[in-house]
Amino acid sequence: YMVVYNSPGYAGDVSEFGTLVSDIYTVTSSSALTGEADVTIRATEAGNLTVLGYNGETWETYETTTDEKTATATGPIAEAYVVVMGE
């Protein structure tokens, strides 16, 4: 099984990538997850949005497409996801 839930916090610091503009979504499963995932997250505001994935050690940027406040990306399955807004 796989469970995706809102997390009350996140590891590390995402401020180097921009301003946090979404909830934090954590992924957990009954076994190791491999491969890629399509991720779509609604941000609190529109702008230059980027999806970040946490690989257990660092935050990685994912190539992101946007439609108003919606950010969509495909990339390696991560432990957590957020959306940041750059300058």
Side-chain angles (χ1 to χ4, degrees):
Y1 65 88
M2 180 174 76
V3 178
V4 178
Y5 59 95
N6 286 86
S7 178
Y10 58 93
D13 181 15
V14 299
S15 64
E16 70 180 278
F17 301 102
T19 303
L20 183 66
V21 290
S22 75
D23 287 341
I24 299 96
Y25 295 94
T26 300
V27 178
T28 190
S29 68
S30 59
S31 60
L33 297 174
T34 59
E36 292 195 332
D38 296 327
V39 178
T40 300
I41 300 174
R42 181 149 174 93
T44 57
E45 51 190 291
N48 181 20
L49 304 176
T50 302
V51 173
L52 303 179
Y54 187 72
N55 67 12
E57 295 181 13
T58 60
W59 287 96
E60 298 179 342
T61 59
Y62 288 35
E63 187 172 332
T64 305
T65 59
T66 61
D67 181 12
E68 297 291 322
K69 295 181 181 181
T70 303
T72 302
T74 300
I77 295 174
E79 293 180 11
Y81 297 95
V82 297
V83 176
V84 295
M85 182 167 54
E87 309 240 346

